[in-house]
Structure formats: C-alpha cells, structure tokens
Amino acid sequence: MRRRIGPWLVPVFGGLAFLFLLVPIAYVFAFSFNDAGRTNLTWRGFTLDNWRNPCGAPAVCEALANSLQISSIVTVIATILGTAIAIGLVRYRFRFNATANMLIFLPLATPEVVLGASLLAQFLNVGVDLGVGTIIIAHSMFCISFVVVAVKARVASLDPKLEEAAADLYASPIQAFWRVTFPLLLPGIVAAALLAFAMSFDDFIITNFNSGNVDTFPKFIYVAATRGIPAQANVIGSALFIIALLIVIGGQILSNRRARMLAAR
C-alpha cells in the first residue's frame, strides 16, 4: 500500500502548492472583470468595460507610468554596474576582494524597513528633495546586488581559455570581450536585468520611505486597498502577469529551439 501511495505524494503536494500560489493571481484576474462601483470588494457582475478603459480609475495609469519609468532606468543602471562588478570580482584578485563580496551581499541581508529608513535619513541630511531621483538611487542600491549575484554565477562558469584562444587568434582584449565573453554572458545578463526590473517595479517599502509625493503602482495599490482596489488596477496587474508569462514561454521556446539546433549539428 505504501509503495502505491508513495510515488503520488510529491506530485499531489506539489500540485496543491502550485494551486495555492495561483489563487491570488486568479482572484486578481477574475475581479478585473468585476462590474465594480466605488469599491471592488464584492462581485457585482461581469463586464469588459474595465479592460476597454484601464485608465478609468484616477491616477492609476500615472502611477503605472512612474513605476515603468523608474524600473527601466534602474534596470539599465543596475545591469551595467552589476555586470562590471561581477566580472571584476570573479576575474581579478585584489586586496579587499573578500570585503567587496561581503559588502555586495549587505543590501540583500538588510531588512527593507531599515534600508529605506536609512536612505531617507541620508537624503534628508544632504538636503535632497524626495521624488523620482531618490527612488532611482534607492532602487539601484539593492538591485545592483541582485545583478551581481546573478551575473557572477555566469562569469564563474565560463572557461578563461576561450578568451586565451581569442587572443591567440590576434583578437584584442576588447574584441575578445564583445565577440566571445559577452555573448556567453548575455543569458545571465538578461536574466539579471529582468530580475532587477521586477524587484524595482514591485518594491513598496523602500519606495514609500523615499518617494515623497510621487506615486508608484505599488504605492497606489497600498493606498487604494483601504477602500477596495479598483478593477482597473486588477486589469493592469493581470496584463503585466500575462506579458511576463509570454516572455518566459517565449524564452523557453527559443532556448529549446537553440538546444535542438546545436544537437543537430
């Protein structure tokens, strides 16, 4: 009897855990079609009006635009700096290498409340006005650490002999990097960039400390939750989830296709 039940335990519990994770997403998607009035707490009927006019709720699209702008800038900054730091930490040995590695992990280990409050105190002491600029600086600080961790693993897996072979073929260090190293690092860099974008877009605690009067999408959701998140916010959340899902599926299809092409050779 135990032998019959044993092989089914992991799939069953795995499926239940997967369904548990999908329940909030299903709720968001379902209530994006709710014919809500002033509140979106109870189901009042099916409608497509929310999807036809996703900016119908006051300030929701403005908050979304702020989040997209901030996340895009943070992603570029964190990806460039994080990739450079990761390559430096793996490929070069210097006196304070271990200390630098430890400092990179500090933003990951520091509670967001502490980090957000510390950054706020620093901005106030310097006399910087809170706004989009302070949000970008704050997000870049912790997103760089995520990029370093992701790209560092990719750099460590590369064989340095590939660059040596490029040098033997009279390639300059710059040519060897762009034609050999960078293409091999690109999947890790893209994954790190997507992670940085998601972390920046989703952040609320640090943003709430350092945003001033600027509203981002998570801040809008937090304030709106007291009176029922508007259905238009559910529409935007559902659309973002669908876009992210399509990107993941597309990346997986391209990866499988590339693997088949390499195997065919």
Side-chain angles (χ1 to χ4, degrees):
M1 186 67 178
R2 291 181 179 179
R3 293 181 179 180
R4 295 179 181 179
I5 298 177
W8 292 95
L9 288 179
V10 173
V12 169
F13 281 109
L16 291 176
F18 189 70
L19 290 175
F20 177 76
L21 293 175
L22 289 179
V23 167
I25 298 174
Y27 176 89
V28 170
F29 187 77
F31 271 72
S32 66
F33 297 98
N34 186 25
D35 188 12
R38 295 182 179 179
T39 63
N40 193 29
L41 297 175
T42 59
W43 183 261
R44 299 177 182 273
F46 180 86
T47 182
L48 293 174
D49 293 340
N50 302 321
W51 284 83
R52 295 192 185 101
N53 184 23
C55 295
V60 62
C61 282
E62 180 182 353
L64 175 64
N66 289 335
S67 288
L68 291 175
Q69 177 189 6
I70 292 168
S71 301
S72 299
I73 297 174
V74 169
T75 300
V76 173
I77 295 173
T79 303
I80 294 174
L81 295 180
T83 301
I85 294 172
I87 294 174
L89 291 175
V90 175
R91 290 296 177 86
Y92 301 97
R93 290 293 177 265
F94 47 92
R95 185 174 182 182
F96 300 104
N97 189 285
T99 304
N101 276 285
M102 182 189 68
L103 292 176
I104 288 297
F105 281 93
L106 277 181
L108 302 179
T110 305
E112 288 194 31
V113 174
V114 176
L115 186 59
S118 301
L119 287 169
L120 173 62
Q122 182 179 3
F123 289 137
L124 293 179
N125 288 330
V126 177
V128 178
D129 293 331
L130 300 180
V132 173
T134 55
I135 299 175
I136 292 174
I137 294 173
H139 285 196
S140 298
M141 290 188 65
F142 67 85
C143 285
I144 287 176
S145 297
F146 285 99
V147 173
V148 171
V149 172
V151 178
K152 190 178 174 184
R154 185 69 178 179
V155 177
S157 66
L158 296 184
D159 190 353
K161 294 181 180 179
L162 295 174
E163 295 178 354
E164 296 175 3
D168 290 339
L169 295 173
Y170 304 102
S172 65
I174 296 179
Q175 290 175 328
F177 175 80
W178 286 111
R179 296 190 178 186
V180 178
T181 306
F182 182 76
L184 295 174
L185 291 179
L186 189 58
I189 294 174
V190 172
L194 293 175
L195 177 62
F197 183 89
M199 295 298 298
S200 176
F201 186 90
D202 188 57
D203 182 78
F204 167 75
I205 297 176
I206 296 176
T207 304
N208 194 43
F209 276 102
N210 300 280
S211 59
N213 294 324
V214 177
D215 270 343
T216 61
F217 192 66
K219 277 188 65 178
F220 176 87
I221 296 296
Y222 177 78
V223 175
T226 58
R227 58 181 181 275
I229 299 173
Q232 288 80 3
N234 288 6
V235 170
I236 294 174
S238 301
L240 292 174
F241 174 77
I242 293 172
I243 293 172
L245 186 63
L246 292 176
I247 292 175
V248 172
I249 293 175
Q252 190 65 38
I253 292 174
L254 291 176
S255 178
N256 293 337
R257 183 178 299 176
R258 183 180 180 183
R260 287 195 298 267
M261 291 176 62
L262 292 176
R265 294 178 181 179

